[in-house]
Amino acid sequence: MKKFLYITDQNEYTDHSFIGPLFEKYLKEYFEVDIVYFSEFKAEFEKKDEHRFILPTADKNKAIQELDRSGIDISSYSYVVVRNSGEILKHVISMSGMYDYKVGYRLSFPKRRAQMQVDRANNKASFLKHLNNTLTTYSETKLINQCDIFMPTSQQMHDEYFEGVTTKTFICPPAIDPETLHENIQHEGEEKRFFYAGTLDKLREFETVLEAFNNVKKGNWKLTISTKDPEYAQEVVNSYSSLTENVEIHNAKNKSELLELIANADIGVSILPEIPLFNTSTPVKIIDYYSSSVPCIMTNNANNNTLFTDDFDAWFCTFDKKSIQAKIESIISLSKDEVAHVGVRGQDRLLEIRNYKIIAGKLAETLNLL
């Protein structure tokens, strides 16, 4: 069996919900997979088990050399794939001739572009930052074109941010793990329970969503928000007259707590501004919602409407108060069974087209042809 080395950009203790199902579980049906994580607290290489290795963060940009020095047979790998880090990728490419492995680059989210958007939203953008981003993008594109395969989250991401990349591309989106679906808990209350997981900031303009809820004229509803900054969320909610009694705020400490909150909801909320950063990939929260058969109200963009159908397995709206309010009121008017059926259809749809087990098989087939 061929060997596959995946060098992540992640700490050993962070949530590996994407890395786990695809690379640690399903890809192992086709390759012997080893995964490298990093630690700021360890000064030496550590073999966590037979297939998971920990390197000090300080050794990130010489990972291949450090693994080799630590007794890992680099020449045994047919493929070495790097996640998100251009600096690590540069090193891996430079060593590929010595060890004769194929190189891949996995881009899960355009973090640098995201920071540029955040800076712009907070009036912190500058010409120097823009110039630096342009130069970095040019260098990153050159590096990716030296790879054997590029693995962005979506075709839209490739087209928007990496139109200069000409190397072979395999789309690698977030997906559902068919073996870890979660039960949807049907609560006894009559109200429709909406749930939002994520950051509340200027870039996401969540105040627009809250204003829409604040203007809802009919129906019995609740909104639960799980965010890493609950104090700020409470301040924002308190500024709207009709929200304080209908909104509950949590700070889920881990994925398990988050999934438990989702399972008790009726409708997930993923309404984001229509900008390239949000239009080029599926938010992981949408996958989390449908893992529990919780249907989602989301922005009608080119990515979402290739996955779902409005009023069948999801609900679409444009990003403005009136459109969001109208869709919320329409959902509130549905019966609980009608809402639940939308969630079941959405989960079935993702199991058909966004399934980690299926993606792993297609990725293995693509890699074997390199």
Side-chain angles (χ1 to χ4, degrees):
M1 185 178 279
K2 291 181 178 180
K3 293 185 69 176
F4 179 103
L5 180 65
Y6 191 44
I7 304 179
T8 76
D9 60 336
Q10 294 198 329
N11 184 282
E12 61 175 315
Y13 298 117
T14 55
D15 172 39
H16 305 141
S17 56
F18 179 83
I19 293 170
L22 182 57
F23 294 100
E24 289 192 337
K25 186 193 293 188
Y26 294 116
L27 199 62
K28 284 190 173 181
E29 295 179 17
Y30 306 93
F31 305 119
E32 186 178 331
V33 178
D34 293 339
I35 301 180
V36 177
Y37 298 104
F38 295 94
S39 172
E40 295 181 1
F41 309 105
K42 292 174 180 172
E44 297 291 336
F45 167 84
E46 179 183 308
K47 200 171 185 181
K48 201 160 188 175
D49 56 38
E50 281 303 305
H51 298 288
R52 290 185 297 169
F53 311 141
I54 312 299
L55 281 174
T57 300
D59 294 336
K60 266 188 175 185
N61 297 341
K62 51 180 179 177
I64 295 295
Q65 289 175 319
E66 289 303 308
L67 290 169
D68 184 53
R69 189 177 67 83
S70 302
I72 304 301
D73 182 9
I74 302 298
S75 61
S76 68
Y77 293 107
S78 298
Y79 314 100
V80 178
V81 173
V82 176
R83 182 182 192 267
N84 288 341
S85 172
E87 289 302 313
I88 298 176
L89 179 63
K90 185 177 181 179
H91 167 68
V92 168
I93 290 172
S94 73
M95 305 298 290
S96 61
M98 182 183 299
Y99 296 103
D100 195 30
Y101 50 71
K102 301 290 186 182
V103 179
Y105 186 53
R106 160 71 183 140
L107 185 71
S108 65
F109 186 70
K111 293 180 181 179
R112 192 176 67 258
R113 283 84 171 175
Q115 188 57 53
M116 291 286 292
Q117 294 276 5
V118 170
D119 289 345
R120 194 171 294 122
N122 289 294
N123 296 317
K124 293 181 179 179
S126 69
F127 174 75
L128 188 60
K129 287 181 179 179
H130 174 75
L131 178 61
N132 183 62
N133 179 64
T134 301
L135 293 173
T136 304
T137 299
Y138 176 75
S139 299
E140 191 175 29
T141 298
K142 285 184 67 176
L143 277 176
I144 295 171
N145 280 333
Q146 295 176 57
C147 294
D148 298 283
I149 190 167
F150 176 45
M151 300 160 58
T153 292
S154 69
Q155 186 62 48
Q156 291 96 331
M157 183 183 291
H158 183 293
D159 296 343
E160 180 69 32
Y161 298 115
F162 293 96
E163 61 178 356
V165 169
T166 56
T167 197
K168 187 176 184 64
T169 297
F170 179 87
I171 303 302
C172 195
I176 278 185
D177 181 350
E179 294 181 359
T180 57
L181 302 178
H182 305 274
E183 183 180 1
N184 185 323
I185 301 168
Q186 291 294 310
H187 60 85
E188 298 298 323
E190 291 299 317
E191 75 276 2
K192 298 297 190 308
R193 296 184 182 178
F194 294 82
F195 185 86
Y196 174 82
T199 306
L200 279 64
D201 59 17
K202 288 185 178 180
L203 183 61
R204 287 163 178 81
E205 298 181 45
F206 195 67
E207 286 87 349
T208 300
V209 178
L210 289 177
E211 286 176 20
F213 272 102
N214 190 59
N215 293 336
V216 168
K217 294 183 172 62
K218 60 179 181 178
N220 189 5
W221 60 272
K222 297 286 184 183
L223 171 64
T224 298
I225 298 171
S226 179
T227 181
K228 292 180 180 179
D229 191 351
E231 291 81 10
Y232 172 72
Q234 191 64 63
E235 285 180 22
V236 174
V237 168
N238 288 345
S239 64
Y240 296 95
S241 58
S242 302
L243 293 184
T244 50
E245 292 184 3
N246 289 334
V247 177
E248 194 174 278
I249 297 171
H250 292 263
N251 179 11
K253 297 296 190 298
N254 51 51
K255 193 66 171 279
S256 179
E257 285 187 19
L258 178 63
L259 292 175
E260 186 176 342
L261 288 168
I262 290 172
N264 283 278
D266 299 309
I267 303 105
V269 177
S270 183
I271 308 170
L272 296 165
E274 296 178 44
I275 60 176
L277 185 65
F278 298 137
N279 291 350
T280 54
S281 62
T282 305
V284 173
K285 73 181 78 174
I286 290 180
I287 304 298
D288 290 338
Y289 296 151
Y290 282 99
S291 291
S292 292
S293 297
V294 172
C296 186
I297 175 174
M298 62 188 74
T299 317
N300 185 7
N301 61 39
N303 186 70
N304 292 338
N305 61 36
T306 59
L307 297 178
F308 301 104
T309 301
D310 190 23
D311 291 329
F312 178 76
D313 48 20
W315 295 285
F316 293 158
C317 61
T318 54
F319 194 78
D320 65 75
K321 288 181 289 186
K322 287 187 177 179
S323 175
I324 298 168
Q325 177 188 343
K327 189 60 74 168
I328 291 170
E329 290 177 347
S330 173
I331 294 168
I332 290 172
S333 71
L334 299 175
S335 70
K336 289 182 70 175
D337 282 345
E338 287 173 318
V339 169
H341 287 319
V342 173
V344 170
R345 289 193 291 262
Q347 186 182 93
D348 288 345
R349 170 70 172 159
L350 290 180
L351 285 171
E352 178 186 345
I353 65 168
R354 286 289 187 88
N355 181 320
Y356 279 131
K357 188 176 180 68
I358 295 172
I359 291 170
K362 291 180 177 178
L363 176 57
E365 182 180 335
T366 302
L367 291 172
N368 281 325
L369 293 174
L370 293 179

